[in-house]
Amino acid sequence: MKISLMLNGTKIEREIAPDLLLIDFVREEGCYSVKRGCETSGCGLCTVFLDEKPVLSCSVLAARADGHAVTTLEGLQKEAEEFGAFIADQGAEQCGFCNPGMIMNAIALFRENPDPTEEEMKEYLAGNLCRCSGYEGQLRGMKAFLEYKKQGGAV
Ligand code: FES
Ligand code: FES
C-alpha cells in the first residue's frame, strides 16, 4: 500500500507493507532517535508525535500515519537542545538511552500544560522507563527549565 505523510516537515510518499510499524518506518527514514525498548508499550523509548500528540510508535501501524504529520526528536532540535541542557545540568543523563523518549514527552507536556505541578509531571512521564536513575534528576531538570521559562527564557 502507498502512504503519504509529513515527517519532520518533509513530505514522504512510500509503498509500505500493511503491517509495517511506525517505529520501523521512521527509523528507515533515518530517524534513529526513535528507539526500540520493550515493544510492548511499556517504556516510552519509541515516542513520536502524531499530529502533535505523543504516541508509542511500537504500537502504531505506519498506515495510521497516512495523511498525518509525524514528528521525531530530529524535528524538534531547538526545543530538545534547550530542554536537554537542563536535564544534563542535573546529571540526570547517565547511559542516555531513555533520553529521547523522555524529552519528547516532556516537550508534549510543556506544550499541553506550560505550568505543571510535580504530580502532573510524574503522571505524564510515568510511561517513560529509566533503568539508570531514580527520576529525581529529570524532575529537577524539568523544574529548573520551567523556572527559566517563567523568567522569560525564549524557546
Ligand atoms: S518500545 Fe515502544 S513503548 Fe517500549
Ligand atoms: S539514563 Fe540510562 S536508561 Fe535512563
Side-chain angles (χ1 to χ4, degrees), residues 59-95:
S59 307
V60 174
L61 289 173
R64 250 196 67 201
D66 186 28
H68 295 274
V70 176
T71 308
T72 69
L73 205 58
E74 284 83 355
L76 295 171
Q77 280 309 309
K78 195 161 174 281
E79 273 170 282
E81 269 169 33
E82 188 185 34
F83 170 61
F86 284 82
I87 295 288
D89 263 7
Q90 297 298 330
E93 203 177 317
Q94 291 178 36
C95 81

Side-chain angles (χ1 to χ4, degrees), residues 11 13 19 21-22 24 36 39 41 53 61 86-87 89 94 100 107 120 122 125 128 134 137-138 141 143-144 148 155:
K11 185 171 183 177
E13 282 187 341
D19 61 351
L21 290 170
L22 188 54
D24 293 315
R36 189 170 238 109
E39 295 187 83
S41 309
K53 280 244 165 248
L61 289 173
F86 284 82
I87 295 288
D89 263 7
Q94 291 178 36
I107 289 174
E120 285 168 333
K122 285 183 179 166
L125 296 183
N128 284 85
Q138 281 96 338
K143 286 183 197 163
Y148 161 76
V155 177

Side-chain angles (χ1 to χ4, degrees), residues 45 92-99 102 129-133 135 138:
L45 281 177
E93 203 177 317
Q94 291 178 36
C95 81
F97 198 60
C98 64
N99 230 29
M102 192 79 76
L129 293 189
C130 174
R131 304 233 175 251
C132 304
S133 77
Y135 304 97
Q138 281 96 338

Side-chain angles (χ1 to χ4, degrees), residues 23 35-46 56-59:
I23 186 173
K35 296 202 174 72
R36 189 170 238 109
C38 64
E39 295 187 83
T40 54
S41 309
C43 74
L45 281 177
C46 63
L56 298 169
S57 61
C58 71
S59 307

